[in-house]
Amino acid sequence: MLDSTVVSRTQAVLDQLNAALEAGDVQAAASLFATDSYWRDLVAVSWNLKTVEGPAGVADMLGQQLAQTRPGNFQIQTGEDPAEEGGVTTAWITFETAAGRGWGLLRLKDDRIWTLLTALQELKGHEENRGTRRPMGAEHGASKHRSSWKERRETEAATLGYDTQPYTVIIGGGQGGIALGARLRQLGVPTIILDKHDRPGDQWRSRYKSLCLHDPIWYDHLPYIKFPDNWPVFTPKDKVGDWLEMYTKVMELNYWTRSTVEKASFDEASGTWSVEVNRDGEKLTLHPTQLVLATGMSGKANMPKFPGMDSFKGTIQHSSQHKGPDEWTGKKVVVIGSNNSAHDICAALWEAEADVTMVQRSSTHIVRSDSLMEIGLGALYSEQAVANGVTTEKADMIFASLPYKIMHEFQIPLYDKMRERDADFYAGLEKAGFKLDWGDDGSGLFMKYLRRGSGYYIDVGASQLIIDGEIKLVQGQVDHFEADAVVLKDGTSLPADLVVLATGFGSMNGWAADLISPEVADKVGKVWGLGSDTTKDPGPWEGEQRNMWKPTQQQNLWFHGGNLHQSRHYSLYLALQLKARMEGLDTPVYGLQEVHHLS
């Protein structure tokens, strides 16, 4: 039964917030927030992705932004009644700003704001043509010499980049570039996506043949078109590739295949980029205003150099180059690394009757897939969640509403439960000599991913092979290669016909260094991580993902990527920022990220 008291108390707080904002009273607005509180804003107030903490942080943001962005009209979302549990009131809200409309999630403790998420959803006067605004498609009536849809698409494809320039160029046509391209298409932002492969989806097709998504289907939808109800829970890589290829066609994206960027440079005088492109042998220069690197958070391979590699008579591959196990039946294979790709590749090689050894260089966090599905994701991304009314869009907002500063506090109990549930499994791994960790603070996989993007494996079978000794396991660091072996620093020699370097990927700003310049890469700084001061995520605290989906220190340069969930969710906010700039809207950025780390 609806508690009318909860509704009235919630709306009373919103009314006070509206009154303070309308009056321009920053201190009155800030006083509505608890001492320990968080306002996470996605573009709406800050024209940035920004989390401020406590009344002082709120006052600082509003002091700089209120007069220009003018947030207000906070209301309980129609049809979504607030709920109270454990002394916390949670309410879905809507609001407006001078430029747009948004929605969000509010949490109250003792009638004070504990967490507030405000997320811009659309720009006034520049709404997407969807729902009641969807295009007619058919042009009823008659007129001479009119063009068909097909002819208009062909004309656009033939002229964009030649007779007319795109406003935005996206470098990288994987799920990130495609999701952002779809958002920009719906907003009327002329965009070209550049990708080196022969077909959309080849980024997935070209990987080792056993690769599947380890995230469940409810977590992986793209914008606008969800996977059908009979789609498998864990999508095989080639099926992902086919879906992406279909998506680019259905969403009418200007997607240039077999197109590599040779150089990009920014002209401050004109505020535009020169992007030198080799398009299937044709060289041309594009001049967009905005440049987005969607080259993949895990796109630039870390290829370590060890003494003796040149004299090794076998084959050395990075995991991203490994096509699969078929040609290695009966051969000796050494896989350097112990994260997701290493486990997947080892398991596939074992299935193909290869003699495979995994070299673990540092501890790894492992969580069983079914435990992650049930305990870690089930409440937000599952068939049961959908049945409970938690749509993908709602799940995204709930997840986004937990400030990164305290997210680990919510994650630790979940991973404690997994550790208890799968105690025998972990005991087996430790008995086999596998070094386990749960993150620096026990918060598990999601925080490791957000902080460093590495250091974990979602177990879909390889761990049991390690427990059973079917995949051989050794600990240590590589010292050098010999003609037919890898030698570790303790002197252990591992004979090998193939060595797979599952050594991970570097920061996305490595692509900025390669395609633009090392100076621009340093100007932008490290990409990814929260500044948590945990392993591979050095401080100071940032509060948001470094340089992702938001303005950077390099004018008109943006980074976009992450997993399918992040590509879907955050593509909206990046697209709105680009659209606003194209339309000449005032976009004063609050809290432009400082650069603390160059690599």
Side-chain angles (χ1 to χ4, degrees):
M1 180 181 295
L2 174 64
D3 188 339
S4 59
T5 303
V6 173
V7 175
S8 61
R9 284 167 43 213
T10 303
Q11 190 59 56
V13 173
L14 294 177
D15 289 343
Q16 293 177 70
L17 179 61
N18 288 330
L21 296 173
E22 179 68 25
D25 192 337
V26 167
Q27 293 304 322
S31 70
L32 299 172
F33 286 75
T35 302
D36 294 319
S37 58
Y38 307 86
W39 183 346
R40 188 178 190 213
D41 181 67
L42 305 180
V43 181
V45 178
S46 61
W47 285 108
N48 198 353
L49 274 63
K50 190 69 178 176
T51 300
V52 295
E53 301 179 16
V58 171
D60 189 72
M61 180 171 72
L62 289 178
Q64 295 189 44
Q65 298 295 105
L66 179 57
Q68 296 160 292
T69 55
R70 302 202 303 277
N73 195 25
F74 283 85
Q75 302 290 335
I76 298 171
Q77 189 172 18
T78 302
E80 297 286 353
D81 296 322
E84 187 170 13
E85 183 178 356
V88 177
T89 300
T90 303
W92 292 101
I93 60 170
T94 60
F95 65 92
E96 294 186 27
T97 67
R101 305 176 189 89
W103 71 316
L105 197 60
L106 170 75
R107 294 185 182 90
L108 301 176
K109 282 185 177 180
D110 299 322
D111 294 334
R112 285 287 180 269
I113 298 172
W114 175 37
T115 72
L116 174 61
L117 171 68
T118 49
L120 189 67
Q121 297 296 299
E122 63 182 7
L123 299 170
K124 295 175 181 177
H126 305 288
E127 297 85 356
E128 292 185 13
N129 292 323
R130 59 193 301 190
T132 58
R133 293 187 293 269
R134 71 170 69 236
M136 287 295 294
E139 296 181 17
H140 297 157
S143 61
K144 293 183 183 293
H145 309 300
R146 66 177 174 179
S147 299
S148 67
W149 169 85
K150 181 174 182 291
E151 289 169 332
R152 291 193 297 273
R153 281 291 294 136
E154 289 174 342
T155 298
E156 180 183 21
T159 58
L160 187 62
Y162 295 91
D163 300 334
T164 61
Q165 287 299 311
Y167 180 75
T168 299
V169 162
I170 301 171
I171 302 177
Q175 71 258 16
I178 287 172
L180 178 59
R183 298 279 195 189
L184 293 171
R185 179 76 181 179
Q186 298 309 303
L187 287 168
V189 179
T191 301
I192 292 175
I193 303 169
L194 302 174
D195 194 83
K196 66 182 180 181
H197 295 89
D198 292 338
R199 297 160 55 196
D202 277 353
Q203 304 86 351
W204 287 88
R205 297 186 189 98
S206 62
R207 298 296 301 279
Y208 54 91
K209 73 174 189 178
S210 62
L211 177 63
C212 277
L213 289 175
H214 289 330
D215 300 320
I217 185 64
W218 306 277
Y219 188 75
D220 291 334
H221 296 299
L222 289 177
Y224 309 112
I225 306 177
K226 293 183 178 179
F227 294 106
D229 290 345
N230 60 353
W231 200 263
V233 173
F234 300 108
T235 310
K237 71 177 182 73
D238 295 284
K239 198 170 179 67
V240 176
D242 290 346
W243 183 264
L244 292 176
E245 185 171 25
M246 175 280 297
Y247 188 90
T248 63
K249 294 178 181 179
V250 172
M251 298 305 295
E252 303 179 17
L253 306 186
N254 293 303
Y255 190 105
W256 288 13
T257 57
R258 296 186 292 277
S259 297
T260 58
V261 176
E262 297 182 342
K263 188 68 177 174
S265 58
F266 185 69
D267 179 29
E268 294 190 9
S270 65
T272 60
W273 291 89
S274 292
V275 183
E276 299 173 20
V277 181
N278 185 325
R279 187 185 188 192
D280 199 16
E282 175 192 7
K283 295 197 174 184
L284 68 155
T285 302
L286 300 173
H287 296 285
T289 301
Q290 308 289 347
L291 183 64
V292 181
L293 297 187
T295 47
M297 191 204 78
S298 299
K300 189 170 180 60
N302 280 331
M303 284 291 287
K305 301 294 184 183
F306 298 109
M309 291 178 78
D310 293 341
S311 62
F312 181 66
K313 293 180 179 179
T315 300
I316 301 173
Q317 301 172 334
H318 188 266
S319 59
S320 60
Q321 300 166 325
H322 181 70
K323 302 303 182 193
D326 294 348
E327 63 182 295
W328 303 106
T329 297
K331 303 292 186 180
K332 291 185 179 296
V333 183
V334 173
V335 178
I336 310 297
S338 56
N339 294 338
N340 261 330
S341 293
H343 279 83
D344 285 348
I345 290 170
C346 284
L349 286 162
W350 175 86
E351 290 178 351
E353 304 287 353
D355 181 344
V356 59
T357 299
M358 175 188 288
V359 177
Q360 186 179 28
R361 300 175 300 159
S362 58
S363 64
T364 307
H365 172 55
I366 293 183
V367 58
R368 295 182 64 209
S369 177
D370 56 351
S371 297
L372 179 65
M373 286 270 292
E374 181 180 333
I375 299 172
L377 290 170
L380 295 181
Y381 299 99
S382 67
E383 205 65 47
Q384 187 59 49
V386 174
N388 292 338
V390 182
T391 63
T392 297
E393 292 76 17
K394 276 189 172 182
D396 288 349
M397 292 291 280
I398 293 169
F399 193 73
S401 72
L402 290 176
Y404 290 130
K405 189 68 171 287
I406 59 173
M407 186 177 287
H408 66 285
E409 297 175 11
F410 291 81
Q411 294 292 305
I412 289 170
L414 301 180
Y415 286 89
D416 284 345
K417 188 174 181 181
M418 293 181 213
R419 180 162 24 189
E420 180 180 354
R421 167 176 161 157
D422 299 323
D424 291 343
F425 167 76
Y426 293 114
L429 278 170
E430 290 179 331
K431 185 177 180 180
F434 196 91
K435 294 182 179 179
L436 293 165
D437 73 63
W438 292 80
D440 288 16
D441 53 5
S443 58
L445 185 147
F446 281 122
M447 296 312 300
K448 263 202 164 187
Y449 173 71
L450 293 168
R451 290 165 172 170
R452 54 183 281 191
S454 66
Y456 50 83
Y457 167 55
I458 301 173
D459 177 49
V460 293
S463 290
Q464 192 61 49
L465 295 175
I466 293 172
I467 292 170
D468 296 338
E470 298 293 329
I471 294 174
K472 299 172 186 175
L473 176 70
V474 297
Q475 301 285 343
Q477 303 295 325
V478 175
D479 185 75
H480 67 276
F481 279 62
E482 294 180 348
D484 58 354
V486 178
V487 181
L488 304 185
K489 289 189 180 296
D490 66 359
T492 301
S493 180
L494 303 173
D497 300 297
L498 167 68
V499 177
V500 180
L501 299 172
T503 46
F505 299 85
S507 172
M508 284 178 70
N509 81 345
W511 287 111
D514 290 351
L515 300 176
I516 307 170
S517 71
E519 292 75 21
V520 167
D522 284 347
K523 182 178 181 180
V524 168
K526 182 178 174 66
V527 179
W528 204 261
L530 303 173
S532 62
D533 205 24
T534 57
T535 303
K536 295 188 178 181
D537 184 28
W541 178 248
E542 302 281 0
E544 294 287 340
Q545 287 287 355
R546 292 187 190 94
N547 283 315
M548 294 298 296
W549 316 296
K550 60 183 179 180
T552 68
Q553 290 287 348
Q554 171 57 55
Q555 183 182 349
N556 295 10
L557 177 65
W558 312 76
F559 292 87
H560 174 65
N563 57 31
L564 280 157
H565 153 256
Q566 291 169 310
S567 294
R568 171 189 67 246
H569 185 63
Y570 290 100
S571 59
L572 171 61
Y573 309 115
L574 178 48
L576 290 171
Q577 292 173 84
L578 296 173
K579 173 66 172 179
R581 284 161 173 77
M582 189 185 84
E583 298 297 341
L585 303 183
D586 189 23
T587 58
V589 175
Y590 171 75
L592 182 66
Q593 179 185 294
E594 297 179 9
V595 175
H596 301 288
H597 309 285
L598 302 183
S599 61

